[in-house]
Amino acid sequence: MNQAFAPEVQAVLDGVRDLLPTFRERADEGERLRVVPDASIKELEETGFFRLLQPRRFDGLEADPVAFYTAVRDIASADGSTGWVSSVVGVHPWQVALFDDEAQQAVWGSDTSVRLSSSYAPTGKAVVTEGGFKLSGKWSFSSGCDHCSWVLLGGLVFNEDGQVVDFRTFMVPREKYQVVDVWNVVGLRGTGSNDIVVEETFIPEAFTLSMGETGQCKGPGQAVNDSDLYKLPFHSIFTSTIATPIIGMAKGAYAEHVEMQQKRVRAAYLGEKASLDPFAAVRIARSSSEIDAAWALLMANIREEQAHVARGEQIPLELRLRVRRDQVLGTARAIEAIDALFEASGGRALAEGTYLQRAWRDAHAGRVHAANDPERALQMYGAQQFGHKVDPGMY
């Protein structure tokens, strides 16, 4: 799918592609450190990548989200962990743009290069108090948090009677939370997805965003950021952010597999070149089709949502659910392709330092993210097709 982007956006994509060999060379370093190397984050910042979805009034590009996803896919094709962190950290400016202007000014008013990490599962507790909320708790899996000075945290809101009255995102500055190093894992090792701990602290209401409102494609920040970009559904933007790196990993795995097979000689088959094996050719044909299908459907759905917004129309629930359907199936297609390529690559693919074995581990690690839970997303789509009520606020 060839896209024509604005020149300043295309310049970012070109800059990102120039960095891919370096990211690939640093992949082992990232795994050893258990965090994306500082140099990689700095280089991405210099290309303008982290500004792609940031409002123009804060030196952002307000870019086409397809451009953002394209950059993420390419980064992940060089290193899965760098792609994952780039995706989840890079998408946060889009949500910050929906917050009250007071919160936006606090984040970017004096430094427009400020970055945020997140952990959206509502594992924390917020209690309503005068002017805002008292927030406390522990959150897990905050990818890239070592490179960020704010965090977005999900929390259930309780009233004075102990009843849940809302589900909100809370924007918290670095001095009000602790990062706990717990990230010892077999996949996505370089993402530094550590725990966040908040002792009871006051969060002003302007620094929160109701997920009920977000589910309606609304937010107070739209009063100052009126681009169509910020009228797209939260769950469409964010779940696509989780699927895209995995599709990128599949893209990188495919490229390495083809290169390896062109050089490989199969001793068990009397020295036959692997590239002459007709079954090997069938495998790469199937795998490439799965990868292309995953990407094409993901981007086509985002394009369709954009078209509704451009016409001033409400995005149909069926389309929002289709985004989720094709997002989880896109993840599944990408992982199936990686599995097939890995299985057909021979013993050399097991060696440390090969992209294939790392992509296999990273993709399966990414699969366990809540956004990639296939049964729930598919059940919702099917239920809506049967005429059953589905809560649009969550999708």
Side-chain angles (χ1 to χ4, degrees):
M1 182 186 294
N2 295 320
Q3 301 289 337
F5 300 117
E8 65 271 23
V9 173
Q10 186 60 53
V12 174
L13 268 62
D14 293 342
V16 164
R17 286 169 183 149
D18 288 342
L19 292 172
L20 299 186
T22 301
F23 292 159
R24 183 159 182 160
E25 290 173 5
R26 289 197 188 119
D28 284 338
E29 178 187 359
E31 290 212 315
R32 289 195 303 272
L33 296 172
R34 296 179 297 113
V35 65
V36 174
D38 290 338
S40 296
I41 297 296
K42 182 179 179 181
E43 288 161 353
L44 280 170
E45 182 180 316
E46 290 171 349
T47 68
F49 169 81
F50 292 112
R51 298 178 185 272
L52 283 172
L53 301 183
Q54 193 160 309
R56 288 190 182 277
R57 64 198 194 95
F58 292 112
D59 300 329
L61 294 171
E62 292 186 8
D64 183 339
V66 172
F68 171 74
Y69 295 131
T70 300
V72 167
R73 180 197 62 183
D74 290 347
I75 296 166
S77 74
D79 175 47
S81 288
T82 304
W84 186 273
V85 169
S86 300
S87 196
V88 297
V89 173
V91 78
H92 292 145
W94 181 89
Q95 189 184 17
V96 174
L98 299 179
F99 278 77
D100 187 278
D101 186 48
E102 180 184 346
Q104 296 180 53
Q105 294 292 344
V107 173
W108 291 316
S110 60
D111 182 0
T112 58
S113 66
V114 166
R115 293 182 295 271
L116 305 89
S117 65
S118 67
S119 181
Y120 290 104
T123 54
K125 179 180 179 180
V127 179
V128 177
T129 189
E130 184 177 355
F133 309 86
K134 292 180 181 178
L135 179 70
S136 61
K138 183 175 79 171
W139 291 258
S140 298
F141 312 118
S142 189
S143 300
C145 56
D146 288 326
H147 300 296
C148 300
S149 52
W150 289 74
V151 67
L152 297 163
L153 300 172
L156 297 176
V157 178
F158 295 80
N159 63 16
E160 58 185 14
D161 297 325
Q163 298 173 321
V164 176
V165 294
D166 201 356
F167 173 18
R168 286 182 173 258
T169 299
F170 296 84
M171 185 188 294
V172 185
R174 184 65 184 85
E175 62 269 19
K176 291 188 176 183
Y177 65 88
Q178 178 186 3
V179 175
V180 182
D181 186 352
V182 298
W183 195 242
N184 297 287
V185 292
V186 297
L188 292 175
R189 282 181 57 83
T191 61
S193 301
N194 287 308
D195 287 356
I196 303 293
V197 175
V198 175
E199 303 293 341
E200 185 173 275
T201 190
F202 174 71
I203 307 295
E205 184 165 3
F207 289 69
T208 73
L209 199 60
S210 172
M211 293 301 287
E213 188 174 29
T214 306
Q216 300 174 48
C217 303
K218 296 178 181 178
Q222 291 172 339
V224 288
N225 300 315
D226 59 0
S227 166
D228 285 353
L229 171 64
Y230 305 116
K231 298 172 186 175
L232 293 166
F234 171 90
H235 287 87
S236 295
I237 293 293
F238 272 70
T239 59
S240 298
T241 294
I242 296 302
T244 296
I246 298 176
I247 296 172
M249 295 171 206
K251 185 171 180 279
Y254 178 84
E256 180 162 275
H257 173 79
V258 171
E259 181 180 356
M260 289 174 66
Q261 295 305 99
Q262 288 173 322
K263 300 174 182 177
R264 181 183 173 202
V265 174
R266 306 184 68 180
Y269 293 91
L270 303 178
E272 176 188 76
K273 289 186 176 180
S275 62
L276 297 177
D277 180 356
F279 301 110
V282 171
R283 289 189 195 102
I284 65 169
R286 289 186 181 278
S287 296
S288 63
S289 180
E290 292 299 309
I291 297 167
D292 288 349
W295 178 249
L297 286 170
L298 199 68
M299 294 303 102
N301 289 335
I302 294 294
R303 282 280 182 244
E304 192 169 340
E305 288 189 330
Q306 288 178 292
H308 282 284
V309 171
R311 294 192 295 266
E313 301 169 353
Q314 184 176 0
I315 298 173
L317 176 59
E318 186 276 337
L319 175 55
R320 293 173 65 173
L321 293 172
R322 189 183 346 135
V323 171
R324 291 285 284 122
R325 179 198 72 184
D326 292 336
Q327 172 255 316
V328 296
L329 290 180
T331 295
R333 287 187 173 101
I335 292 176
E336 287 169 7
I338 292 172
D339 285 349
L341 295 169
F342 184 64
E343 291 167 4
S345 292
R348 294 186 184 278
L350 298 172
E352 291 185 1
T354 63
Y355 183 93
L356 259 172
Q357 55 82 22
R358 186 180 297 113
W360 185 84
R361 289 186 286 111
D362 289 347
H364 281 276
R367 162 63 183 83
V368 302
H369 190 286
N372 286 327
D373 181 353
E375 288 80 13
R376 190 171 298 275
L378 298 179
Q379 185 277 330
M380 287 190 304
Y381 181 84
Q384 192 271 341
Q385 291 291 300
F386 281 139
H388 302 311
K389 182 176 175 61
V390 176
D391 180 11
M394 295 302 293
Y395 308 97

